[in-house]
């Protein structure tokens, strides 16, 4: 995947590029204007989930804003296709109308890095794109907690979670509160490199590709409870 662009007005900071996937032309037009106003270049568009993989290969974005509900190939299947086909896939941020959408839950389990509501403010959308592009922070932990609330833990995810050590489970609970690796290192009084090793082990054992997927699996497995918050 191409390296993220450096925006000259951002003081040398890396600026992620974005591909828009939505079947509504007006939505794509609005998102393009909003993102470019926030200094985030839009490098391509797709009108159906079935077009996303080819568009990603052609434009090599850092982040895909993916409508979760599209005719033909939906955002869940498009997410699976992109993540399975590419050695270095972009981060995927699914967009939905409802924050309790089962489609979003499935998209996160499929490997999407986070989700946004279509009614989100422009600053929230720009923040979300930059957050998932950076990859180290969990996007909107409270929203993910609400999404999984009421689901009964168990099944294959519970079996995978049994492979975690006590320390790895502790790190996973802190990830679920939205803490970065550096924050976790400070909270547990361990080195940043040790935290990174734990996070890598967690991803491997859970079969997760990112923090959001790992946290959703953790809720599904009962490792993290819906009432678990930072400081508790």
């Amino acid at each position: 995947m191409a390296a993220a662009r450096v925006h000259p007005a951002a003081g040398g900071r890396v600026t992620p590029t974005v591909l828009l996937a939505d079947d509504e032309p007006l939505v794509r037009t609005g998102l393009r204007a909003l993102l470019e106003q926030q200094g985030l270049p839009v490098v391509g568009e797709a009108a159906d989930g079935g077009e996303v993989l080819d568009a990603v290969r052609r434009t090599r974005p850092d982040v895909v804003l993916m409508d979760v509900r599209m005719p033909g190939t939906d955002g869940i299947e498009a997410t699976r296709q992109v993540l399975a086909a590419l050695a270095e896939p972009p981060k995927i941020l699914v967009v939905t109308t409802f924050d309790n959408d089962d489609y979003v839950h499935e998209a996160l389990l499929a490997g999407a890095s986070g989700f946004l509501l279509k009614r989100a403010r422009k600053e929230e959308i720009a923040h979300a794109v930059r957050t998932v592009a950076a990859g180290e922070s969990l996007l909107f932990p409270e929203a993910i907690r609400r999404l999984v609330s009421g689901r009964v833990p168990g099944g294959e995810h519970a079996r995978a979670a049994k492979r975690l050590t006590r320390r790895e489970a502790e790190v996973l609970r802190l990830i679920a509160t939205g803490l970065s690796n550096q924050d976790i290192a400070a909270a547990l009084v361990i080195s940043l490199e040790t935290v990174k090793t734990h996070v890598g082990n967690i991803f491997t054992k859970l079969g997760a590709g990112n923090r959001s997927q790992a946290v959703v699996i953790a809720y599904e497995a009962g490792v993290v409870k819906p009432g678990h918050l930072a400081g508790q």
Side-chain angles (χ1 to χ4, degrees):
M1 187 172 65
R5 300 179 183 180
V6 177
H7 195 279
R13 291 178 299 173
V14 174
T15 299
T17 59
V18 183
L19 181 135
L20 304 175
D22 196 294
D23 61 306
E24 293 288 342
L26 286 177
V27 172
R28 297 197 307 273
T29 299
L31 284 172
R32 176 183 282 272
L34 182 155
L35 290 166
E36 292 182 344
Q37 183 185 47
Q38 295 292 308
L40 295 167
V42 175
V43 295
E45 298 183 9
D48 180 81
E51 301 175 5
V52 173
L53 180 56
D54 284 344
V56 167
R57 284 176 166 150
R58 186 173 63 254
T59 63
R60 301 198 297 174
D62 298 298
V63 178
V64 177
L65 272 185
M66 179 93 74
D67 185 11
V68 75
R69 293 174 180 264
M70 288 183 282
T73 303
D74 63 25
I76 302 169
E77 181 57 29
T79 296
R80 292 193 184 107
Q81 290 176 2
V82 170
L83 297 181
L86 302 176
E88 295 184 44
K91 308 294 184 182
I92 295 178
L93 187 58
V94 294
V95 184
T96 182
T97 305
F98 308 105
D99 58 1
N100 62 346
D101 196 336
D102 283 342
Y103 276 71
V104 173
H105 179 262
E106 292 304 313
L108 292 175
L109 281 177
S113 294
F115 74 98
L116 269 176
L117 294 178
K118 288 189 174 180
R119 63 176 180 270
R121 292 175 292 123
K122 62 182 180 181
E123 295 83 6
E124 289 178 322
I125 295 173
H127 166 71
V129 169
R130 292 188 171 99
T131 296
V132 299
E136 195 183 296
S137 296
L138 180 68
L139 182 64
F140 306 145
E142 284 297 310
I144 291 179
R145 180 182 62 82
R146 289 195 300 272
L147 186 69
V148 300
S149 182
R151 297 178 185 273
V152 179
E156 61 178 306
H157 298 311
R159 291 191 292 274
K162 288 181 180 178
R163 301 173 59 200
L164 298 176
T165 66
R166 183 176 300 177
R167 177 62 98 181
E168 288 163 358
E170 186 176 18
V171 169
L172 182 54
R173 293 185 188 101
L174 292 174
I175 290 173
T177 68
L179 295 186
S180 67
N181 288 349
Q182 189 169 354
D183 292 334
I184 293 170
L188 298 180
V189 197
I190 57 179
S191 73
L192 181 58
E193 288 305 312
T194 299
V195 174
K196 290 179 178 178
T197 298
H198 287 318
V199 172
N201 290 340
I202 289 166
F203 286 3
T204 298
K205 291 178 180 181
L206 296 183
N210 58 56
R211 295 167 97 85
S212 293
Q213 189 179 22
V215 168
V216 172
I217 291 171
Y219 278 117
E220 296 274 312
V223 175
V224 179
K225 310 295 183 187
H228 178 75
L229 297 171
Q232 287 189 338

